[in-house]
Structures are given as structure tokens and as C-alpha cells.
Amino acid sequence: MINKLIEKSRTKSPWLYHLNAGSCNGCDIELIALLGPKFDAERFGCKLTGTPRHADIVIVSGPVTQQSKDRLLRVLSQVPEPRVVVSLGSCPISCNVFRGSYSVVGPLDKWTHVDVSVGGCPPRPEAIIDGIIKSIEILKEKRGVK
């Protein structure tokens, strides 16, 4: 009984971890703008955490570069299961204008499973909120909470 209550409350307040894999910071600025009073993404219960060990949802921005690939994989291995990975912007989806660069080693889904993709360069805040809501629903399904 108590375990169901704990799981349900954990699902109501997912913690987000933001990981920059070599972006130009356009997506990062839009993500941080969501936490301000205008868009207030925290009304959905989500909170930005400083460590991947406490995260439920990982938001990755930027194309995966040679220098960030090992760090990305190490950080993702530290996030407890079940986890949801969200690609933020066009760069982790298709590498965008950085495709073919000497330091870009591919899109994010080449290295890990991506649950939600939010497109745009940079994506609109409304699209990011929609992606976060979808990731919360996927997290509920993975945990088996109704």
C-alpha cells in the first residue's frame, strides 16, 4: 500500500536533468525560460535537478560530438531506471547544420533510445512543454502507475 503511494507521488513530481551534448545554447535558453513565471513548467510538478542520479527525465540538447559522447553515455548510465530521454531541438534529432562536421558523431538515437523528440531550432516553449507532458505520461507507463 505504501509503495503504491510512493510510486504515485514520484510520478506526480518528475525531476528533469538537462544535458548539453554540444549545442549552440539556443535550446538551453528556451528550456530555462520554461522555469520562469511566464511559462511555469513547474506547475506540472517537474523540477530541474543538478545530478543525474536523482533524475527521472533526461533532456538532451545539441548534436552528439566526439568530445561529449562518452560523457553523455556515462551520465545516462547514472540515471536510474525507468528513465525517459527527451531530445530537445533539431540537433539531437538530425544534427541540423552541424551534420558532416569533423567533430559530430551522429544524432542522439544512434547512441541511446530516445522516447520523445521535440523539433525546432530552437523549439518553441509550448512545444517543449508538450514534450515534457508526453515524457511524464511515458514515465507513468514505464512505472506501471495509472
Side-chain angles (χ1 to χ4, degrees):
M1 177 71 177
I2 192 79
N3 289 337
K4 284 186 179 181
L5 181 64
I6 290 171
E7 283 301 317
K8 190 167 185 173
S9 62
R10 282 181 59 203
T11 307
K12 293 283 185 179
S13 59
W15 285 19
L16 310 173
Y17 182 76
H18 174 239
L19 181 60
N20 184 333
S23 77
C24 68
N25 295 330
C27 297
D28 306 335
I29 291 169
E30 293 298 326
L31 179 64
I32 298 304
L34 291 180
L35 302 174
K38 183 173 182 179
F39 297 104
D40 192 24
E42 290 181 352
R43 66 184 164 188
F44 302 111
C46 57
K47 179 183 187 295
L48 200 61
T49 182
T51 175
R53 297 180 194 276
H54 296 154
D56 300 307
I57 300 169
V58 179
I59 301 174
V60 181
S61 62
V64 180
T65 63
Q66 184 66 40
Q67 194 171 23
S68 68
K69 180 189 73 158
D70 294 334
R71 293 179 183 117
L72 169 84
L73 297 175
R74 187 172 61 237
V75 166
L76 288 176
S77 71
Q78 294 174 0
V79 178
E81 292 287 344
R83 67 175 179 240
V84 176
V85 177
V86 178
S87 65
L88 181 63
S90 298
C91 289
I93 297 171
S94 67
C95 299
N96 203 1
V97 298
F98 303 108
R99 173 169 285 213
S101 174
Y102 68 94
S103 63
V104 174
V105 293
L108 180 62
D109 62 357
K110 181 178 178 182
W111 303 104
T112 186
H113 172 73
V114 177
D115 297 295
V116 178
S117 295
V118 180
C121 184
R124 297 191 46 81
E126 296 86 0
I128 301 172
I129 289 175
D130 187 47
I132 290 173
I133 292 171
K134 286 179 184 174
S135 65
I136 291 171
E137 294 301 319
I138 291 171
L139 186 63
K140 286 181 185 178
E141 290 175 13
K142 286 185 174 185
R143 288 186 173 159
V145 178
K146 295 178 183 175

